Amino acid sequence: LLSGGADASLRLWSVIDGRLLKVLEKHTNGVRVLALSGDGQTVATGDESGNLCVWRMSDWTPLRESWYGNPVLDVGLSADGRLMAVCSTSDSKPAASLRLWRVRDGKQLQVLLRGPVEARTIVFSPDGGLLAAGCTDGTIRLFTRKAIPEVRQ
């Protein structure tokens, strides 16, 4: 079991007896979101100040750390852990966005959505072929992996 907290830590707990197994401290503000890849190998975390971290779960090594710049509202990892979607907000319009990143090298692949409508929650389908985003206008927007040229490889 993983939890993120206002103390800027990520905690790993035993579901068997409730013991705290590990505390990870890479964030500078409260951990707001976390997402596990479908293969169970990778976890992504985001905080209130825009810090993102992608962890290898086998040894809890940070694979990628970056400063996103805006509060992270949600983060999602594809089933294979190769893609990360991040939605964020900003004080300046239309900077709120939903962006797709390649985890391996941190390359931004595409801006999928940019304000004034903000994505607030995101999830990849189990097969990784679809990304769903719940938006502030009451819609759910769907993005297919095939529709994103940089991802077809």
Side-chain angles (χ1 to χ4, degrees), residues 74-112:
D74 203 2
V75 62
L77 285 170
S78 61
D80 59 11
R82 294 181 359 189
L83 298 175
M84 179 173 64
V86 178
C87 55
S88 70
T89 189
S90 176
D91 292 336
S92 61
K93 300 290 180 193
S97 64
L98 170 59
R99 296 169 192 258
L100 190 67
W101 303 82
R102 188 168 49 214
V103 171
R104 170 176 41 94
D105 58 5
K107 180 182 180 190
Q108 180 179 300
L109 299 175
Q110 193 164 0
V111 176
L112 297 173

Side-chain angles (χ1 to χ4, degrees), residues 28 34 60-61 69 75 95 100-101 104-105 108 125 146 151:
T28 57
L34 62 90
W60 294 103
T61 300
V75 62
L100 190 67
W101 303 82
R104 170 176 41 94
D105 58 5
Q108 180 179 300
S125 62
K146 292 177 186 172
V151 179

Side-chain angles (χ1 to χ4, degrees), residues 5-9 26-32 46-51 67:
D7 66 351
S9 70
K26 283 287 181 187
H27 288 277
T28 57
N29 253 314
V31 176
R32 176 179 269 182
D47 70 26
E48 297 167 356
S49 61
N51 293 306
W67 185 67

Side-chain angles (χ1 to χ4, degrees), residues 120-139:
R120 289 296 175 128
T121 185
I122 50 178
V123 65
F124 278 96
S125 62
D127 68 358
L130 192 66
L131 176 66
C135 299
T136 55
D137 65 354
T139 64

